[in-house]
Amino acid sequence: MSQAKTLDTSPGTFGERGISVPFTTPMLSQARMRPTRQGELEFLLPSFNGGKGVYIMPWRSLPTMMTVTLHDRLLHEALLDLKDYTPDTVRQAALTIQATGVAGGDASLAAEKTLALDVGYRALTHFTLVTELMRLARLDAGELLATGMTGSESRRLIRASLAQLAQRANLPAEEMVTRVETLANLMAPVGLPQCQQLGRLRILVGEMERMRASVQRWSATDFSEVSQLATFVADTAKAALDMARDRLARLDARCRDLGAMVGDFRAFRAVLAEDATRLAWLLDGWPFLIRLWDSVADRPLESQQSTMGELFRLAPLIPTGEGGKEPSAFELENLGKIQTRWLRMGEDWRTGALDMPAVMRIEALKATSS
Amino acid sequence: MTDPAIAQWQALARDATRLSDAKFLQIYTLLEQLGDKPGIAGAFDAMRPRLAQLRPPRRPTVSRLFFRPAEDLFDDPSVYTRRLQRVSRGTLPTCWKLVRARLDSGLVDGVAQGILKADPRDPRALVKIAAPLWEEGAQVLVKIADEAENNLRFMVDNFGRDDDVLRQIQTLRDVLLLGGIIEDLKQRLPERPIGDLAESHADAIKTVMAQLGGAENPQAAGPLLLVLTARMLRPGVVLKMLTDMRVVGSSQGERDALTRDLSGVVVGNLLRQTASMAKAAVAGPGTTGAPVDPVQKLASLAAVAERLTDGLTSVNDSVASLRDKKIVDRVTTARGEIGEFVLTTVLGDVERTLASLMFADNGGIATPPDEMKRAEATALALKRSAKLASHLGIQREVNAKILEIRREIDRQTDRMIAAPGARGNPEVRRQMFNNLRLVEILAGSDEAERAYREWSRRLG
């Protein structure tokens, strides 16, 4: 059965906060998901009628409240198939479903493109790691950098280089291959500091900063009470950004010393994984908010005010156990009242009927990038 | 400006259309700052097609800004109807010419300068600039109306012999007197057509109504409510606010009279729009000669039908309070007309339109994304009509149409899945999802899920 809580906005950990899921059913949009002890998935739904309250309910309760899109049904199935739940695995599952076309042609093309970019960036991270390690070992990486190679030639050369590195480090060649692959997979979402092309999460930090500054500017020019919501959103973004930048700086410092790879790899991997995972959790949920805010950049003030209410409702607070502030630090009750006053209810939300144009607006946001 | 100079401006503007978007818009901004000059107008004509694509924020002229508070009441001369407190666009040029001649030129120049300096995307700045113009202009309109009423020569020379123009000028004057208040409120409300109101929006309307006259003088808010009802998808919401307004003593009669007047105007306007919509549908495609995209037309007709049905449904209570059998009968007739219109125009060829978009032979390739978007828009138009069906008494027909299309989608998907090589073919899978999109729009997500399970099972 569903369980309603109000202003329960400060979970202790990221795990308790759940992972945002890019559903297309308007009432489910950006719901957070977390596995229960019984191995089921439960969903934390942002309040339907304003404020920052949260409804917690298992999937099976949802059909009694609303019609769920086919996209969301398939995405839920894909989530059930996941072995572990992180923002990255959920994102991957969501993109795979989106690529089928179930959320429309544009969203499908965007997902295909993003998935291809992910694969390309993982290869680039792998390649950068190999060339950096070669440089550190004072080995010639010239052959690797030659242009016009086929894929198989390139793979053969990389393997040969890794074998050379393994020999230099007194490691079995296969062990070196595994370590580099593990590290490339771990670091691909962030990107290595040595790589000129930025990784996805690094780009996201930049986009979030742009959005934070824009929302902050907006709060200074809007004379209605909604400006208080904008200040809250900008502050929430700043808190996440500050912590994300710390994590990035730590990751970069560690990755500049890749020599540690040939030492205690388990420990090295663990500290990198901790930072990379925390970074993903800190930024989880923000890509949708950035796109939502961008989508009203040229719209009239009222649309921006209404969207600000939505941003307030969805803005992910950092859990107290992860360094976030106590809820009492935010005058959430007062802000919640403001948001409720500015919330425009479509008729369909009361009946739970599916509002296809609203679904398509969410799909259009998915299509802008992923 | 001489003719060769005008031609030169046009030639330069044509050359500018070959530049990059950024450079082209830069030139447009510079030209705008030159103000209202004959040669510049020609240059804008040459640039218009590209501007229509890029849609930069438009800097208003002084006259456009002057009329802005009343723009929701404007009708093209061909559809203008008397006694509905509307204004024919045909009246505006003469009106502006006369107002302009009587306004202090320093004021007009000041407004023109203000417009050039202001960011056209900042409506608040424009309200500030135009406030004295509306105030002065409304007073000038009073004088023009007086002169027209008392000086037949002036009337005939400027407006002809039709007294209706005096009513239009009065409507304009009433609205412009509240110009600043109306424009300020517009910015605080959703874009037109206004669908749902948040509590803050309703509060904003009630606050302005109270400021204007409140319980003692509800009539003072008349012009504001006139504009608001023209902007609302469901004008009955505003009428209800008026009937819910607490009034005292003799004001109750005044409030009821205003409600009756406004209800009459709102219902009259909805009936007029229904009639012109039906007429336009009979007349066929637009008069511009430009080809009309059938999908776009279908979507916009369905939207208009939805707006009118919503509007009529929202004023049910107000119509009842009018106790006017004639209006009640006309509303019933209008519903019938909209229903007929939806049946013939929106539903008429919908299955053929969908079939041509979805099931044309693409050589084994799934429907391209652009065609798919058009198919979705068509299905949405049909779905919109289905939502109206119960109000319009056409449920049976709409359901039959949806069922027919559903069957066609099933037939086509069955054929596709049964064809050799369908299993493992990514294009077949893609088209399956395309077809599921239509099923979901037309028949809902449960039905789409059922079809998905069935088709996926067969595709393996």
Side-chain angles (χ1 to χ4, degrees):
Chain A
M1 274 307 290
S2 66
Q3 201 185 334
K5 288 187 185 178
T6 49
L7 298 176
D8 177 18
T9 48
S10 186
T13 62
F14 282 126
E16 281 176 31
R17 190 179 79 175
I19 302 162
S20 72
V21 186
F23 288 126
T24 56
T25 306
M27 283 168 77
L28 273 181
S29 178
Q30 296 299 299
R32 290 186 167 270
M33 177 217 73
R34 61 189 187 193
T36 63
R37 284 198 195 114
Q38 293 72 35
E40 271 190 79
L41 295 180
E42 66 181 9
F43 292 84
L44 288 78
L45 274 54
S47 169
F48 307 133
N49 52 0
K52 270 192 88 69
V54 175
Y55 292 89
I56 305 169
M57 56 188 77
W59 182 264
R60 62 177 180 278
S61 296
L62 295 176
T64 61
M65 294 188 63
M66 66 188 88
T67 306
V68 177
T69 59
L70 179 60
H71 166 274
D72 294 356
R73 297 171 196 217
L74 300 188
L75 178 52
H76 174 245
E77 285 181 5
L79 293 175
L80 288 175
D81 288 342
L82 290 179
K83 288 190 180 66
D84 64 329
Y85 294 100
T86 67
D88 276 352
T89 56
V90 168
R91 173 179 173 273
Q92 181 76 20
L95 284 170
T96 307
I97 294 300
Q98 191 179 321
T100 61
V102 71
D106 288 344
S108 166
L109 288 175
E112 281 174 353
K113 196 174 146 197
T114 306
L115 287 168
L117 279 173
D118 283 357
V119 171
Y121 199 80
R122 204 174 304 128
L124 180 66
T125 308
H126 190 261
F127 181 80
T128 309
L129 263 178
V130 176
T131 52
E132 277 299 307
L133 287 169
M134 296 282 283
R135 194 180 56 77
L136 274 175
R138 298 181 197 285
L139 292 169
D140 181 18
E143 268 193 314
L144 275 178
L145 298 170
T147 54
M149 266 187 289
T150 63
S152 60
E153 263 178 299
S154 170
R155 277 192 294 276
R156 186 187 55 77
L157 277 172
I158 285 177
R159 253 191 123 69
S161 304
L162 286 172
Q164 270 184 292
L165 282 166
Q167 201 179 17
R168 184 71 64 92
N170 286 327
L171 283 172
E174 277 312 308
E175 173 64 18
M176 186 50 113
V177 169
T178 308
R179 287 186 183 192
V180 169
E181 258 175 25
T182 305
L183 204 59
N185 287 337
L186 194 62
M187 288 304 296
V190 186
L192 292 165
Q194 295 89 341
C195 191
Q196 285 195 339
Q197 210 172 313
L198 298 182
R200 175 171 60 80
L201 293 178
R202 224 180 267 273
I203 292 172
L204 182 52
V205 167
E207 284 183 351
M208 219 170 126
E209 174 51 39
R210 177 178 57 76
M211 180 225 187
R212 187 207 62 76
S214 160
V215 169
Q216 181 96 60
R217 265 197 311 278
W218 188 89
S219 75
T221 53
D222 179 72
F223 300 117
S224 75
E225 58 190 355
V226 183
S227 66
Q228 294 175 55
L229 302 185
T231 304
F232 171 86
V233 173
D235 288 351
T236 308
K238 184 173 182 308
L241 273 170
D242 287 347
M243 291 174 82
R245 287 199 183 102
D246 276 356
R247 292 283 174 181
L248 257 182
R250 276 156 65 170
L251 272 170
D252 286 355
R254 291 187 207 286
C255 288
R256 282 202 183 90
D257 180 20
L258 287 173
M261 261 187 81
V262 295
D264 182 354
F265 184 67
R266 189 180 283 190
F268 184 58
R269 187 188 60 184
V271 288
L272 285 184
E274 160 73 11
D275 283 332
T277 309
R278 283 283 175 272
L279 183 63
W281 278 105
L282 281 164
L283 303 178
D284 180 45
W286 284 99
F288 180 83
L289 302 191
I290 295 169
R291 273 176 262 156
L292 189 60
W293 182 238
D294 284 349
S295 73
V296 294
D298 295 324
R299 302 291 304 281
L301 179 67
E302 191 282 330
S303 300
Q304 294 175 347
Q305 287 170 330
S306 162
T307 303
M308 192 53 73
E310 190 67 0
L311 294 182
F312 165 76
R313 194 173 71 98
L314 297 173
L317 281 173
I318 297 172
T320 44
E322 308 279 356
K325 287 184 187 171
E326 289 292 332
S328 55
F330 300 103
E331 292 186 12
L332 284 176
E333 202 159 346
N334 179 37
L335 293 173
K337 279 181 192 156
I338 295 174
Q339 193 258 349
T340 307
R341 273 174 44 72
W342 289 78
L343 186 72
R344 280 161 64 192
M345 291 291 189
E347 275 187 352
D348 291 337
W349 83 274
R350 290 182 195 89
T351 60
L354 197 57
D355 174 1
M356 274 315 279
V359 171
M360 286 176 162
R361 281 195 292 277
I362 296 172
E363 290 173 348
L365 287 178
K366 274 175 170 283
T368 52
S369 73
S370 294
Chain B
M1 197 175 279
T2 58
D3 279 351
I6 292 173
Q8 266 183 347
W9 272 112
Q10 278 185 327
L12 279 172
R14 268 194 298 275
D15 287 346
T17 59
R18 287 194 284 272
L19 297 171
S20 68
D21 287 353
K23 287 231 164 80
F24 175 77
L25 289 176
Q26 207 177 351
I27 288 177
Y28 167 69
T29 310
L30 290 171
L31 276 176
E32 258 197 343
Q33 285 170 9
L34 292 177
D36 234 353
K37 295 191 173 66
I40 306 293
F44 282 136
D45 284 344
M47 294 169 89
R48 192 148 292 129
R50 180 92 178 271
L51 287 171
Q53 283 172 357
L54 297 172
R55 305 185 64 161
R58 191 174 166 188
R59 200 176 287 277
T61 57
V62 178
S63 63
R64 199 181 165 84
L65 192 57
F66 174 67
F67 289 122
R68 183 177 278 188
E71 66 188 0
D72 296 293
L73 307 177
F74 295 165
D75 287 325
D76 285 341
S78 58
V79 294
Y80 169 74
T81 307
R82 293 151 180 265
R83 295 184 188 280
L84 289 177
Q85 298 194 44
R86 306 284 297 176
V87 177
S88 165
R89 286 186 199 280
T91 309
L92 302 181
T94 311
C95 212
W96 173 244
K97 190 185 78 183
L98 296 172
V99 170
R100 173 77 185 80
R102 284 155 203 241
L103 278 174
D104 172 38
S105 55
L107 171 71
V108 177
D109 290 347
V111 172
Q113 285 301 316
I115 291 172
L116 286 179
K117 283 180 198 149
D119 179 350
R121 286 164 301 190
D122 183 358
R124 281 182 297 199
L126 292 174
V127 169
K128 227 172 173 179
I129 292 163
L133 182 69
W134 293 325
E135 209 172 298
E136 286 284 310
Q139 303 305 335
V140 170
L141 280 172
V142 176
K143 288 178 193 150
I144 291 171
D146 275 351
E147 191 167 351
E149 208 169 353
N150 299 316
N151 179 349
L152 186 62
R153 183 69 194 253
F154 175 83
M155 171 77 185
V156 172
D157 283 354
N158 290 292
F159 301 111
R161 291 179 184 276
D162 190 349
D163 278 352
D164 180 64
V165 83
L166 296 177
R167 282 191 287 274
Q168 295 181 49
I169 292 174
Q170 178 156 359
T171 301
L172 274 175
R173 186 209 62 172
D174 292 347
V175 172
L176 291 180
L177 272 174
L178 304 182
I181 294 169
I182 289 172
E183 284 301 306
D184 182 60
L185 184 61
K186 274 192 206 170
Q187 285 160 43
R188 287 190 276 151
L189 298 180
E191 283 177 274
R192 69 168 293 182
I194 301 171
D196 303 300
L197 290 176
E199 192 189 325
S200 61
H201 301 134
D203 283 352
I205 297 172
K206 286 177 191 162
T207 306
V208 173
M209 278 164 76
Q211 277 166 0
L212 283 174
E216 276 124 43
N217 183 14
Q219 287 279 3
L224 170 87
L225 298 178
L226 189 65
V227 171
L228 275 185
T229 50
R231 291 178 78 79
M232 301 278 300
L233 206 52
R234 290 179 277 278
V237 172
V238 172
L239 296 178
K240 184 153 189 324
M241 270 185 204
L242 185 60
T243 47
D244 288 349
M245 192 172 158
R246 278 178 188 216
V247 286
V248 283
S250 61
S251 308
Q252 187 154 349
E254 210 181 299
R255 192 264 321 265
D256 292 347
L258 177 61
T259 310
R260 253 196 313 279
D261 282 356
L262 274 173
S263 300
V265 166
V266 167
V267 173
N269 266 310
L270 288 167
L271 294 172
R272 173 185 63 83
Q273 288 170 51
T274 306
S276 62
M277 176 179 79
K279 209 190 289 175
V282 172
T287 51
T288 55
V292 181
D293 177 354
V295 172
Q296 220 171 17
K297 187 180 165 200
L298 201 66
S300 67
L301 290 176
V304 171
E306 186 178 49
R307 191 165 61 76
L308 290 176
T309 311
D310 261 0
L312 283 174
T313 307
S314 78
V315 293
N316 259 349
D317 291 348
S318 310
V319 169
S321 77
L322 290 175
R323 293 202 186 103
D324 182 334
K325 188 179 175 305
K326 217 167 139 192
I327 287 198
V328 173
D329 287 348
R330 282 178 70 199
V331 168
T332 311
T333 310
R335 280 185 203 278
E337 275 178 25
I338 301 174
E340 187 56 32
F341 166 83
V342 170
L343 281 179
T344 53
T345 317
V346 182
L347 267 58
D349 274 339
V350 71
E351 70 274 37
R352 268 190 291 276
T353 308
L354 265 179
S356 68
L357 290 165
M358 290 294 293
F359 309 125
D361 188 4
N362 288 322
I365 305 289
T367 307
D370 284 348
E371 297 285 280
M372 193 54 216
K373 265 190 228 160
R374 290 158 58 79
E376 286 176 9
T378 308
L380 273 177
L382 179 53
K383 187 67 186 170
R384 267 187 144 145
S385 308
K387 275 172 86 177
L388 307 180
S390 61
H391 297 289
L392 302 175
I394 54 170
Q395 256 162 318
R396 198 172 47 84
E397 293 88 340
V398 176
N399 288 345
K401 193 66 91 169
I402 289 178
L403 191 64
E404 192 186 332
I405 292 171
R406 266 292 281 121
R407 284 191 180 137
E408 183 59 17
I409 294 172
D410 281 344
R411 267 195 298 273
Q412 293 286 347
T413 315
D414 285 345
R415 195 177 305 158
M416 179 179 76
I417 291 174
R423 278 184 174 223
N425 181 343
E427 287 300 321
V428 169
R429 207 166 166 75
R430 167 80 66 188
Q431 188 65 6
M432 177 186 85
F433 276 107
N434 284 343
N435 292 349
L436 284 169
R437 296 274 298 168
L438 296 192
V439 173
E440 186 163 29
I441 292 171
L442 292 172
S445 303
D446 288 345
E447 186 58 17
E449 185 181 355
R450 194 202 57 72
Y452 167 77
R453 305 270 170 231
E454 166 67 13
W455 296 344
S456 295
R457 184 185 57 76
R458 288 167 56 197
L459 267 178

